[in-house]
Amino acid sequence: MEPAHYFNAQPDVPDVRRPLAVVLEGAERALETSAGIFSPDGVDKGTAVLLTEVPDPAPAGHLLDIGCGWGPIALTMALRSPEATVHAVDVNERSLSLTAANAGRLGLGNVHASRPEDVPADVRFSTIWSNPPIRIGKESLHELLLQWLPRLEEGGEAWLVVQKNLGADSLLRWLADSLGEAYDVGREATSKGFRILRVTRRTEGREERRRDAGGFLQTGS
């Protein structure tokens, strides 16, 4: 289990920066990391599954990484979509500092690391990727997802990776019930004990297509 302090705005362990060599987008990247953040020693298993399984993000517009840590998801989005604006959000200020520093190391000027409240309220997202912080508790997790998923633009997609034995299937059902008819919600893949969940905001006037809680596509009139 990850230490609880990575949920804090100010981690209670010293900020000692150290080198981090990881492979992102097929190349080794020389980055930096520190204690007091999520998965400080590399790309965690869930994030690795997400980055392997999901299609490329939208090539332009606004993209979002919920819970950026040292930045693997946001950096990958920026590498794949250099013309897009990537918003990396986290409550942990050390994570934000590291993501910004790592984006700078890679010359990625399209990454903006910020606290959730500092993202302009009128921004809508073409793509959201997240390995959401399941261990903050169900109520807090639900609040977090309902803060961001309704900010998808029409036709926008969110891709979430959730460990199967940490409630991925029940989260899928809750998302379908909570988001309502304006969204398609489904299970897109299972890999290495993780589910990939997809949320799509429907385009107005599109034929009604909805996935049930088991991930199966249903089409209505």
Side-chain angles (χ1 to χ4, degrees):
M1 183 178 296
E2 297 286 342
H5 49 233
Y6 82 80
F7 301 134
N8 299 337
Q10 298 290 342
D12 55 6
V13 292
D15 184 6
V16 179
R17 303 292 170 100
R18 54 188 172 84
L20 176 66
V22 295
V23 175
L24 295 176
E25 285 300 283
E28 184 168 293
R29 315 288 179 171
L31 307 177
E32 66 179 14
T33 188
S34 184
I37 64 168
F38 177 69
S39 191
D41 297 322
V43 180
D44 65 285
K45 292 180 180 178
T47 296
V49 168
L50 179 76
L51 297 180
T52 299
E53 295 288 340
V54 301
D56 287 345
H62 294 273
L63 316 180
L64 175 66
D65 169 16
I66 306 170
C68 61
W70 54 262
I73 291 176
L75 298 177
T76 300
M77 290 180 118
L79 288 165
R80 292 190 189 181
S81 299
E83 301 303 316
T85 299
V86 180
H87 300 266
V89 299
D90 207 301
V91 297
N92 185 321
E93 294 185 5
R94 188 174 302 170
S95 291
L96 298 177
S97 175
L98 284 165
T99 295
N102 287 330
R105 282 172 170 260
L106 299 183
L108 297 171
N110 59 333
V111 175
H112 300 274
S114 65
R115 297 175 300 177
E117 60 269 26
D118 293 333
V119 178
D122 61 345
V123 169
R124 296 295 176 264
F125 301 101
S126 305
T127 306
I128 296 174
W129 286 359
S130 183
N131 181 356
I134 299 297
R135 297 187 189 278
I136 62 175
K138 183 181 294 186
E139 182 177 350
S140 295
L141 175 66
H142 289 177
E143 290 178 359
L144 178 69
L145 294 176
L146 289 181
Q147 177 182 2
W148 294 111
L149 295 179
R151 293 180 64 174
L152 283 169
E153 64 182 23
E154 285 192 2
E157 295 180 340
W159 298 84
L160 313 175
V161 62
V162 182
Q163 197 166 339
K164 182 179 177 181
N165 65 6
L166 290 181
D169 293 339
S170 61
L171 181 62
L172 174 68
R173 292 190 291 271
W174 176 83
L175 286 169
D177 290 341
S178 299
L179 291 173
E181 296 298 320
Y183 298 82
D184 291 326
V185 179
R187 184 176 68 236
E188 297 298 317
T190 299
S191 178
K192 301 178 181 179
F194 291 87
R195 303 283 206 211
I196 299 292
L197 310 183
R198 178 183 181 182
V199 176
T200 305
R201 185 164 194 160
R202 293 195 188 122
T203 301
E204 187 175 352
R206 196 183 74 186
E207 179 187 19
E208 183 177 344
R209 300 170 70 250
R210 182 173 176 83
R211 293 179 186 271
D212 64 20
F216 299 102
L217 187 63
Q218 298 180 331
T219 302
S221 58

